[in-house]
Amino acid sequence: MFAVPLGDGAELRPLEPWQAEEFLAHMDRGREFVGQHIGLADVVGDLDSARRWLQSYADRAAADTGRLYGIWLDGLLVGGVLFRVFDAGMGTCEAGCWLEPAAAGRGLVTRAARVIIDWAITERGMHRVEWQVSSKNTPSINVARRLGMSRDGVQRENSLHRGVRQDTEIWSVLAPEWRSAHGTA
C-alpha cells in the first residue's frame, strides 16, 4: 500500500473493497452533504452496497478504466477522489470527488485532485482531464478553478438527481496547460 501526504495530517491512499466498513461509516457521517449533488450517497446505503461499489472500482483499476482513492485526515476517512472514466487509448479521463462536511474548506480535495491529475498526465500520458459538476455545486466548481481548468460549457438539464433535473458544467485541463502551470516536462 502507498500513501501520499497531502499536508495538515491528511493523506491520499487507495480505497479498496476490504475497507467497506470504514467507507460505509464515512458515508453515514456525510450522507446528506455528499448527496446534495452526487448519487454516491444514494448508492451506498449498507455494507453490501459499499462493498459492491468499492469492488466496481477495483475492477475498473484492474481493467485500467478507473481509479479510486480515499482522503484520510488524522487517520479518519473523510472523502475521496477518483477517475470515474479513464480511457488510456483516447488519452482522456474524468476526475471527480466527494467529501464529508467536517473536512470541507481545508483544500483537501484540491490537493488530492492535483496528485491524481499530475499522475494521469505525467505518468499515463493523458491529454485531457475533465471535471463534470452540477452547476449548483459551487465548492466543486471552485476546485476546478483552483486546478486551472477551463469551463468548456454546460449540458442543460442533462442529469436527473433525486427527481430534479440539473445542469452539468464541463471543466477540463489539457496536458500542455497542466505542464506549463506545474513546470513539468
Side-chain angles (χ1 to χ4, degrees), residues 113-131:
R114 272 193 192 116
V115 169
I116 69 167
I117 292 169
D118 194 62
W119 172 83
I121 290 172
T122 62
E123 298 294 323
R124 295 304 309 279
M126 288 291 165
H127 176 72
R128 175 184 169 89
V129 179
E130 288 188 359
W131 190 268

Side-chain angles (χ1 to χ4, degrees), residues 6-46:
L6 297 174
D8 302 319
E11 63 183 11
L12 182 70
R13 8 185 244 241
L15 183 54
E16 300 174 339
W18 64 270
Q19 296 163 306
E21 287 183 28
E22 182 178 16
F23 178 61
L24 179 60
H26 154 63
M27 270 296 107
D28 288 343
R29 286 190 305 273
R31 189 169 309 284
E32 284 311 306
F33 186 76
V34 171
Q36 292 177 77
H37 302 289
I38 63 172
L40 175 60
D42 298 333
V43 172
V44 176
D46 58 25

